[in-house]
Amino acid sequence: MKRGSWHFCSRWQNLDEMNKIFLSGIVGLITLALVQATDTQKQPETGAPAPDFSLTTGDGSQVSLKGYRGKWVVLYFYPKDFTSGCTLEARNFQRDLTKYEQADAVVLGVSVDTAQSHKDFCAKEGLNFKLLADPDAKVSTEYGSVMDYKGAKLAARNTFLINPKGEIAKVYTGVKPAEHSDQVLKDLAELKKS
């Protein structure tokens, strides 16, 4: 009797392991499909005109991209106010803000958060650059910078360096928050030379 029950349990363990392997394969395929869906978004190409927009800032004013013609613009998209990666990225842009100003560049952040959320985030983190509210993800979509997170649309972590003529000078996708501002400053200095 003992031997038979062991044999029975052994089969269930094998079945359980097979189910786990099968499920991890399914999860892997779904993950791959989601990554591919994100990767197939079309960002504006280098040299193309940057799509214009008008969005609300944390202080309630409207900002249009065309209002910054004649300046370099660092337009960065990020998922959510008050999250660790987004906070680190914003702090680093704030840390380097004087360097951007010396390079005649402005920093604009965009997420699907509300203008009130941006106002609170700027106050908490001491941010002195504009964060723009894109609650319907319209602008994020135009820039190929949307991701789905648990059924909600969020801005994907992409950045666009826009030259004074309003053209895309450089595109960054899948940004790493810790080193991003340093990289943008380096590229900005190179682009200004050419």
Side-chain angles (χ1 to χ4, degrees), residues 53-64 68 108 114-116 118-119 129-134:
F53 57 80
S54 184
L55 291 173
T56 306
T57 68
D59 66 11
S61 63
Q62 290 288 305
V63 166
S64 294
Y68 291 102
L108 301 173
T114 64
Q116 184 61 50
H118 287 336
K119 182 178 180 178
F129 56 88
K130 295 185 184 309
L131 296 181
L132 311 177
D134 184 25

PDB file of all heavy atoms in Angstrom, residues 53-64 68 108 114-116 118-119 129-134:
ATOM      1  N   PHE A  53       2.500  70.168 -29.439  1.00  0.00           N
ATOM      2  CA  PHE A  53       1.463  69.850 -28.458  1.00  0.00           C
ATOM      3  C   PHE A  53       1.255  71.054 -27.562  1.00  0.00           C
ATOM      4  O   PHE A  53       2.064  71.982 -27.540  1.00  0.00           O
ATOM      5  CB  PHE A  53       1.875  68.637 -27.598  1.00  0.00           C
ATOM      6  CG  PHE A  53       3.177  68.833 -26.882  1.00  0.00           C
ATOM      7  CD1 PHE A  53       3.257  69.562 -25.704  1.00  0.00           C
ATOM      8  CD2 PHE A  53       4.337  68.280 -27.393  1.00  0.00           C
ATOM      9  CE1 PHE A  53       4.462  69.749 -25.047  1.00  0.00           C
ATOM     10  CE2 PHE A  53       5.550  68.464 -26.732  1.00  0.00           C
ATOM     11  CZ  PHE A  53       5.615  69.195 -25.565  1.00  0.00           C
ATOM     12  N   SER A  54       0.168  71.025 -26.826  1.00  0.00           N
ATOM     13  CA  SER A  54      -0.109  72.003 -25.782  1.00  0.00           C
ATOM     14  C   SER A  54      -0.639  71.224 -24.586  1.00  0.00           C
ATOM     15  O   SER A  54      -1.641  70.522 -24.703  1.00  0.00           O
ATOM     16  CB  SER A  54      -1.140  73.019 -26.274  1.00  0.00           C
ATOM     17  OG  SER A  54      -1.330  74.012 -25.292  1.00  0.00           O
ATOM     18  N   LEU A  55       0.078  71.306 -23.447  1.00  0.00           N
ATOM     19  CA  LEU A  55      -0.303  70.566 -22.248  1.00  0.00           C
ATOM     20  C   LEU A  55      -0.287  71.485 -21.033  1.00  0.00           C
ATOM     21  O   LEU A  55       0.363  72.528 -21.031  1.00  0.00           O
ATOM     22  CB  LEU A  55       0.669  69.399 -22.004  1.00  0.00           C
ATOM     23  CG  LEU A  55       0.619  68.244 -23.009  1.00  0.00           C
ATOM     24  CD1 LEU A  55       1.753  67.259 -22.745  1.00  0.00           C
ATOM     25  CD2 LEU A  55      -0.720  67.530 -22.965  1.00  0.00           C
ATOM     26  N   THR A  56      -0.985  71.065 -19.989  1.00  0.00           N
ATOM     27  CA  THR A  56      -1.084  71.842 -18.752  1.00  0.00           C
ATOM     28  C   THR A  56       0.049  71.478 -17.800  1.00  0.00           C
ATOM     29  O   THR A  56       0.380  70.306 -17.638  1.00  0.00           O
ATOM     30  CB  THR A  56      -2.441  71.558 -18.066  1.00  0.00           C
ATOM     31  OG1 THR A  56      -3.486  71.794 -19.009  1.00  0.00           O
ATOM     32  CG2 THR A  56      -2.645  72.443 -16.848  1.00  0.00           C
ATOM     33  N   THR A  57       0.616  72.492 -17.157  1.00  0.00           N
ATOM     34  CA  THR A  57       1.694  72.282 -16.188  1.00  0.00           C
ATOM     35  C   THR A  57       1.108  72.195 -14.781  1.00  0.00           C
ATOM     36  O   THR A  57      -0.086  72.430 -14.572  1.00  0.00           O
ATOM     37  CB  THR A  57       2.695  73.450 -16.201  1.00  0.00           C
ATOM     38  OG1 THR A  57       2.043  74.610 -15.683  1.00  0.00           O
ATOM     39  CG2 THR A  57       3.215  73.736 -17.593  1.00  0.00           C
ATOM     40  N   GLY A  58       1.979  71.915 -13.830  1.00  0.00           N
ATOM     41  CA  GLY A  58       1.575  71.839 -12.434  1.00  0.00           C
ATOM     42  C   GLY A  58       1.013  73.140 -11.888  1.00  0.00           C
ATOM     43  O   GLY A  58       0.216  73.143 -10.952  1.00  0.00           O
ATOM     44  N   ASP A  59       1.416  74.263 -12.491  1.00  0.00           N
ATOM     45  CA  ASP A  59       0.888  75.558 -12.010  1.00  0.00           C
ATOM     46  C   ASP A  59      -0.377  75.976 -12.764  1.00  0.00           C
ATOM     47  O   ASP A  59      -0.895  77.075 -12.576  1.00  0.00           O
ATOM     48  CB  ASP A  59       1.963  76.651 -12.072  1.00  0.00           C
ATOM     49  CG  ASP A  59       2.406  76.995 -13.494  1.00  0.00           C
ATOM     50  OD1 ASP A  59       1.755  76.560 -14.462  1.00  0.00           O
ATOM     51  OD2 ASP A  59       3.423  77.707 -13.631  1.00  0.00           O
ATOM     52  N   GLY A  60      -0.869  75.097 -13.640  1.00  0.00           N
ATOM     53  CA  GLY A  60      -2.120  75.373 -14.353  1.00  0.00           C
ATOM     54  C   GLY A  60      -1.960  76.090 -15.677  1.00  0.00           C
ATOM     55  O   GLY A  60      -2.932  76.268 -16.404  1.00  0.00           O
ATOM     56  N   SER A  61      -0.745  76.513 -16.020  1.00  0.00           N
ATOM     57  CA  SER A  61      -0.539  77.205 -17.300  1.00  0.00           C
ATOM     58  C   SER A  61      -0.399  76.183 -18.431  1.00  0.00           C
ATOM     59  O   SER A  61      -0.161  75.002 -18.197  1.00  0.00           O
ATOM     60  CB  SER A  61       0.696  78.105 -17.227  1.00  0.00           C
ATOM     61  OG  SER A  61       1.859  77.333 -17.009  1.00  0.00           O
ATOM     62  N   GLN A  62      -0.567  76.669 -19.656  1.00  0.00           N
ATOM     63  CA  GLN A  62      -0.431  75.831 -20.852  1.00  0.00           C
ATOM     64  C   GLN A  62       0.972  76.005 -21.436  1.00  0.00           C
ATOM     65  O   GLN A  62       1.483  77.117 -21.498  1.00  0.00           O
ATOM     66  CB  GLN A  62      -1.464  76.235 -21.912  1.00  0.00           C
ATOM     67  CG  GLN A  62      -2.891  75.889 -21.554  1.00  0.00           C
ATOM     68  CD  GLN A  62      -3.151  74.403 -21.631  1.00  0.00           C
ATOM     69  OE1 GLN A  62      -2.917  73.758 -22.638  1.00  0.00           O
ATOM     70  NE2 GLN A  62      -3.632  73.842 -20.535  1.00  0.00           N
ATOM     71  N   VAL A  63       1.554  74.900 -21.862  1.00  0.00           N
ATOM     72  CA  VAL A  63       2.865  74.936 -22.500  1.00  0.00           C
ATOM     73  C   VAL A  63       2.740  74.282 -23.864  1.00  0.00           C
ATOM     74  O   VAL A  63       2.192  73.188 -23.980  1.00  0.00           O
ATOM     75  CB  VAL A  63       3.922  74.192 -21.649  1.00  0.00           C
ATOM     76  CG1 VAL A  63       5.181  73.935 -22.442  1.00  0.00           C
ATOM     77  CG2 VAL A  63       4.245  74.973 -20.398  1.00  0.00           C
ATOM     78  N   SER A  64       3.247  74.989 -24.884  1.00  0.00           N
ATOM     79  CA  SER A  64       3.291  74.440 -26.238  1.00  0.00           C
ATOM     80  C   SER A  64       4.743  74.259 -26.634  1.00  0.00           C
ATOM     81  O   SER A  64       5.588  75.100 -26.297  1.00  0.00           O
ATOM     82  CB  SER A  64       2.626  75.389 -27.234  1.00  0.00           C
ATOM     83  OG  SER A  64       1.248  75.479 -26.969  1.00  0.00           O
ATOM     84  N   TYR A  68       9.011  77.045 -27.566  1.00  0.00           N
ATOM     85  CA  TYR A  68      10.435  76.908 -27.248  1.00  0.00           C
ATOM     86  C   TYR A  68      11.318  76.900 -28.492  1.00  0.00           C
ATOM     87  O   TYR A  68      12.495  76.536 -28.407  1.00  0.00           O
ATOM     88  CB  TYR A  68      10.662  75.623 -26.438  1.00  0.00           C
ATOM     89  CG  TYR A  68      10.063  75.719 -25.065  1.00  0.00           C
ATOM     90  CD1 TYR A  68       8.849  75.103 -24.775  1.00  0.00           C
ATOM     91  CD2 TYR A  68      10.689  76.448 -24.059  1.00  0.00           C
ATOM     92  CE1 TYR A  68       8.279  75.202 -23.518  1.00  0.00           C
ATOM     93  CE2 TYR A  68      10.119  76.557 -22.798  1.00  0.00           C
ATOM     94  CZ  TYR A  68       8.927  75.931 -22.537  1.00  0.00           C
ATOM     95  OH  TYR A  68       8.363  76.047 -21.292  1.00  0.00           O
ATOM     96  N   LEU A 108      11.578  69.462 -20.075  1.00  0.00           N
ATOM     97  CA  LEU A 108      10.137  69.290 -19.917  1.00  0.00           C
ATOM     98  C   LEU A 108       9.856  67.810 -19.673  1.00  0.00           C
ATOM     99  O   LEU A 108      10.264  66.957 -20.465  1.00  0.00           O
ATOM    100  CB  LEU A 108       9.382  69.732 -21.179  1.00  0.00           C
ATOM    101  CG  LEU A 108       9.551  71.179 -21.644  1.00  0.00           C
ATOM    102  CD1 LEU A 108       8.865  71.387 -22.987  1.00  0.00           C
ATOM    103  CD2 LEU A 108       8.999  72.141 -20.604  1.00  0.00           C
ATOM    104  N   THR A 114      -1.959  63.895 -13.307  1.00  0.00           N
ATOM    105  CA  THR A 114      -2.699  65.163 -13.383  1.00  0.00           C
ATOM    106  C   THR A 114      -1.777  66.346 -13.106  1.00  0.00           C
ATOM    107  O   THR A 114      -0.686  66.182 -12.539  1.00  0.00           O
ATOM    108  CB  THR A 114      -3.830  65.189 -12.341  1.00  0.00           C
ATOM    109  OG1 THR A 114      -3.240  65.143 -11.029  1.00  0.00           O
ATOM    110  CG2 THR A 114      -4.797  64.025 -12.525  1.00  0.00           C
ATOM    111  N   ALA A 115      -2.237  67.528 -13.444  1.00  0.00           N
ATOM    112  CA  ALA A 115      -1.487  68.750 -13.153  1.00  0.00           C
ATOM    113  C   ALA A 115      -1.292  68.902 -11.643  1.00  0.00           C
ATOM    114  O   ALA A 115      -0.227  69.319 -11.181  1.00  0.00           O
ATOM    115  CB  ALA A 115      -2.214  69.964 -13.737  1.00  0.00           C
ATOM    116  N   GLN A 116      -2.300  68.531 -10.853  1.00  0.00           N
ATOM    117  CA  GLN A 116      -2.186  68.618  -9.389  1.00  0.00           C
ATOM    118  C   GLN A 116      -1.100  67.673  -8.869  1.00  0.00           C
ATOM    119  O   GLN A 116      -0.320  68.027  -7.989  1.00  0.00           O
ATOM    120  CB  GLN A 116      -3.525  68.302  -8.718  1.00  0.00           C
ATOM    121  CG  GLN A 116      -3.500  68.458  -7.196  1.00  0.00           C
ATOM    122  CD  GLN A 116      -3.178  69.882  -6.740  1.00  0.00           C
ATOM    123  OE1 GLN A 116      -3.784  70.843  -7.204  1.00  0.00           O
ATOM    124  NE2 GLN A 116      -2.203  70.033  -5.842  1.00  0.00           N
ATOM    125  N   HIS A 118       1.512  66.711 -10.511  1.00  0.00           N
ATOM    126  CA  HIS A 118       2.792  67.343 -10.884  1.00  0.00           C
ATOM    127  C   HIS A 118       3.151  68.468  -9.918  1.00  0.00           C
ATOM    128  O   HIS A 118       4.303  68.599  -9.519  1.00  0.00           O
ATOM    129  CB  HIS A 118       2.713  67.903 -12.300  1.00  0.00           C
ATOM    130  CG  HIS A 118       2.737  66.855 -13.372  1.00  0.00           C
ATOM    131  ND1 HIS A 118       3.287  65.601 -13.212  1.00  0.00           N
ATOM    132  CD2 HIS A 118       2.288  66.900 -14.650  1.00  0.00           C
ATOM    133  CE1 HIS A 118       3.173  64.917 -14.342  1.00  0.00           C
ATOM    134  NE2 HIS A 118       2.560  65.691 -15.228  1.00  0.00           N
ATOM    135  N   LYS A 119       2.162  69.258  -9.567  1.00  0.00           N
ATOM    136  CA  LYS A 119       2.394  70.369  -8.628  1.00  0.00           C
ATOM    137  C   LYS A 119       2.912  69.825  -7.291  1.00  0.00           C
ATOM    138  O   LYS A 119       3.903  70.334  -6.744  1.00  0.00           O
ATOM    139  CB  LYS A 119       1.090  71.153  -8.421  1.00  0.00           C
ATOM    140  CG  LYS A 119       1.230  72.351  -7.515  1.00  0.00           C
ATOM    141  CD  LYS A 119      -0.103  73.094  -7.398  1.00  0.00           C
ATOM    142  CE  LYS A 119       0.042  74.299  -6.488  1.00  0.00           C
ATOM    143  NZ  LYS A 119      -1.199  75.059  -6.390  1.00  0.00           N
ATOM    144  N   PHE A 129      11.700  72.786 -13.004  1.00  0.00           N
ATOM    145  CA  PHE A 129      11.400  72.716 -14.434  1.00  0.00           C
ATOM    146  C   PHE A 129       9.964  72.234 -14.568  1.00  0.00           C
ATOM    147  O   PHE A 129       9.360  71.788 -13.598  1.00  0.00           O
ATOM    148  CB  PHE A 129      12.393  71.809 -15.182  1.00  0.00           C
ATOM    149  CG  PHE A 129      12.490  70.410 -14.649  1.00  0.00           C
ATOM    150  CD1 PHE A 129      11.641  69.415 -15.111  1.00  0.00           C
ATOM    151  CD2 PHE A 129      13.437  70.085 -13.696  1.00  0.00           C
ATOM    152  CE1 PHE A 129      11.729  68.119 -14.613  1.00  0.00           C
ATOM    153  CE2 PHE A 129      13.541  68.789 -13.204  1.00  0.00           C
ATOM    154  CZ  PHE A 129      12.682  67.810 -13.660  1.00  0.00           C
ATOM    155  N   LYS A 130       9.417  72.341 -15.760  1.00  0.00           N
ATOM    156  CA  LYS A 130       7.989  72.068 -15.955  1.00  0.00           C
ATOM    157  C   LYS A 130       7.707  70.582 -16.176  1.00  0.00           C
ATOM    158  O   LYS A 130       8.368  69.920 -16.968  1.00  0.00           O
ATOM    159  CB  LYS A 130       7.460  72.887 -17.125  1.00  0.00           C
ATOM    160  CG  LYS A 130       7.508  74.382 -16.857  1.00  0.00           C
ATOM    161  CD  LYS A 130       6.876  75.165 -17.981  1.00  0.00           C
ATOM    162  CE  LYS A 130       6.984  76.659 -17.805  1.00  0.00           C
ATOM    163  NZ  LYS A 130       6.558  77.202 -16.561  1.00  0.00           N
ATOM    164  N   LEU A 131       6.687  70.105 -15.468  1.00  0.00           N
ATOM    165  CA  LEU A 131       6.140  68.778 -15.704  1.00  0.00           C
ATOM    166  C   LEU A 131       4.765  68.969 -16.338  1.00  0.00           C
ATOM    167  O   LEU A 131       3.974  69.786 -15.865  1.00  0.00           O
ATOM    168  CB  LEU A 131       6.020  67.989 -14.391  1.00  0.00           C
ATOM    169  CG  LEU A 131       7.323  67.678 -13.674  1.00  0.00           C
ATOM    170  CD1 LEU A 131       7.062  66.877 -12.407  1.00  0.00           C
ATOM    171  CD2 LEU A 131       8.302  66.936 -14.579  1.00  0.00           C
ATOM    172  N   LEU A 132       4.516  68.239 -17.407  1.00  0.00           N
ATOM    173  CA  LEU A 132       3.302  68.433 -18.196  1.00  0.00           C
ATOM    174  C   LEU A 132       2.352  67.255 -18.050  1.00  0.00           C
ATOM    175  O   LEU A 132       2.768  66.098 -18.115  1.00  0.00           O
ATOM    176  CB  LEU A 132       3.681  68.626 -19.668  1.00  0.00           C
ATOM    177  CG  LEU A 132       4.794  69.648 -19.939  1.00  0.00           C
ATOM    178  CD1 LEU A 132       5.130  69.693 -21.421  1.00  0.00           C
ATOM    179  CD2 LEU A 132       4.414  71.018 -19.430  1.00  0.00           C
ATOM    180  N   ALA A 133       1.076  67.573 -17.854  1.00  0.00           N
ATOM    181  CA  ALA A 133       0.036  66.551 -17.665  1.00  0.00           C
ATOM    182  C   ALA A 133      -0.514  66.098 -19.016  1.00  0.00           C
ATOM    183  O   ALA A 133      -0.985  66.905 -19.812  1.00  0.00           O
ATOM    184  CB  ALA A 133      -1.083  67.121 -16.794  1.00  0.00           C
ATOM    185  N   ASP A 134      -0.445  64.789 -19.242  1.00  0.00           N
ATOM    186  CA  ASP A 134      -0.954  64.162 -20.466  1.00  0.00           C
ATOM    187  C   ASP A 134      -1.916  63.039 -20.062  1.00  0.00           C
ATOM    188  O   ASP A 134      -1.686  61.866 -20.349  1.00  0.00           O
ATOM    189  CB  ASP A 134       0.243  63.618 -21.271  1.00  0.00           C
ATOM    190  CG  ASP A 134      -0.141  63.031 -22.613  1.00  0.00           C
ATOM    191  OD1 ASP A 134      -1.186  63.432 -23.167  1.00  0.00           O
ATOM    192  OD2 ASP A 134       0.611  62.166 -23.110  1.00  0.00           O
TER     193      ASP A 134
END
